[in-house]
Amino acid sequence: MLRGMMMNEPLLVTSILRHAALYHADTEIVSRTTEGPIHRYTYADAWVRAQKLANALAALGMQPGDRIGTLAWNGYRHLECYYGIGGSGMVCHTINPRLFPEQIAYIVNHAEDRLLFTDLTFVPLLEGIAQELSGLKGIVVMTDRANMPESTLPGLMCYEDLLADQPGSFDWPDLDENTACGMCYTSGTTGNPKGVLYSHRSSYLHAMAACMPDVFGLSASDVVLPVVPMFHVNAWGIPYAAPMVGAKLVFPGGKLDGASLYELFEAETVTNTAGVPTVWLALLNWLDANRKTLTSMRRIAIGGSACPPVMIQRFREMGVEVLHAWGMTETSPLGLANMPKSKHAGLSADEALALAAKQGRPICGVRFRVVDGSGNDVARDGTSFGRLLVRGSTVCSGYFGVTESPAHQMVPGWFETGDVVTMDADGYVQIVDRTKDVIKSGGEWISSIDLENIAVGHPGVQEAAAVAVPDEKWGERPVLVVVRKPDSALTREELLAVFEGKVAKWCIPDDVRFVDGLPHTATGKLLKSEIRHMVTGPEGV
Ligand code: AMP
């Protein structure tokens, strides 16, 4: 074998921010802060402050490999943590503050976090669980002296004080590219959350993939606002992807309601954004109610849950392109992205919409298989379905601190996603369901996603979930749980009528239950286990 003769430059996230600081020095990073005002600075500033933070961590006695937790919204100080911590050879462990406090305590303890960086917002939450966090050496509040809160937490440190006297340059260690730089726990709807440990290499490669034209399509002429939180799979890689291409970054802080997002989108002329369908539902409702439209937006990436076709259509009417994407905490997250191919140019509007509603086709670097229960590949015909397996440099090979043989290795070397899907000859994958959410009626599988997409297509429906209820004859039957729009008087019969002709007769839900609201997970997905309980439990509606 003849070895290539190219330099072996490690792929480190630090080099991404260095690049931005050198060649996009005055490109802005704009943040809505927890304290209130809008903060502005540049990539050059972020680079200096990431180095100040790295010096501060060293001064506090932190060591390479240490896990440093963050409990924070999307903002410039959180960005500094990504780079200052990761670049030091430590692990930036982003924690989802929307989890239950006991889950947060479990995660901090399981990861053995040594320090925790928190936004002001989460100080009360930490006060409630402080006694359980015995391994922590300290908590840093990401604010300045003037805004430091009164707190019962012992030895609280102030972020700006920590950075103030540190030099703005740091001797970054020469790291192996496989060194861990980030960590995120799965949301754990079943069992305890599990830690996924991202490396510099995986984060770098993932960021390159994220920028590709058929993925987020980012460039130096873009302004990107990640709505998806930096505590959820690194905001889908945007904090690495944006500086890689020199795109202006806009951080929304904790204000994710329609009015606040709209204000930032328009004021900062945002061209690209990304988030889960729940957020866009709220934005669309707000835009409709206020007769507004998005004027600078070019592309909205939607993923995390299935994006209903009606949502794609609404954004298209505003001239905004929708990128439907699929991913998991375990896959960094991007795995599938949906953009049309040249041969799709002649599709009718309906055909194009049906295609756009699929979860997308594989991004190069991630390999996909769809297999039956025995591990054999099913036909790539767009109708045969099976379990989705993935592998690649951005896919996790195991969980932090879990020694027993990984339960996810149904086929050795492949990660089992837990999704049931079809794949067509062009590689477009459609998620039928999560394995545990699929409705099994008379031996046939009914996709809850299909039913939900049809239900939310009705103008009177705000949100809908399809769940299985036990049935003596069929095993399980689908029932819809629906939140009506505020002014809607939609009836069960009217809603069930829209299913006629759209799905086979036996797939039409047996019943509709109207509720005031649906429960969501900490990452904004429908919480199916609780919704099933709402329907079948003693307090069933
Ligand atoms: P998480 O790791 O919490 O982000 O959850 C990953 C899971 O979210 C996947 O295994 C899918 O079941 C689901 N998911 C992600 N993106 C989509 C999508 N575009 N459509 C349907 N389900 C999705």
Side-chain angles (χ1 to χ4, degrees), residues 286-334:
W286 188 88
L287 291 173
D288 285 347
N290 293 278
R291 299 183 187 286
K292 301 277 192 209
T293 187
L294 301 173
T295 59
S296 57
M297 194 66 73
R298 192 170 61 74
R299 185 179 294 187
I300 298 189
I302 305 184
S305 307
C307 175
V310 66
M311 189 173 275
I312 300 176
Q313 207 163 12
R314 274 294 286 116
F315 281 124
R316 283 186 173 173
E317 283 160 11
M318 286 180 218
V320 179
E321 201 171 41
V322 168
L323 171 88
H324 192 188
W326 170 95
M328 303 182 75
T329 308
E330 287 93 334
T331 62
S332 297
L334 293 165

Side-chain angles (χ1 to χ4, degrees), residues 385-397:
F385 53 81
R387 303 171 192 209
L388 183 66
L389 310 181
V390 292
R391 61 174 295 151
S393 306
T394 53
V395 177
C396 82
S397 60

Side-chain angles (χ1 to χ4, degrees), residues 385 438-447 474 476-477 506-507:
F385 53 81
V438 76
I439 303 161
K440 298 177 193 93
S441 176
E444 299 285 345
W445 288 15
I446 302 175
S447 159
W474 301 107
E476 288 178 353
R477 288 294 303 150
W506 53 269
C507 295

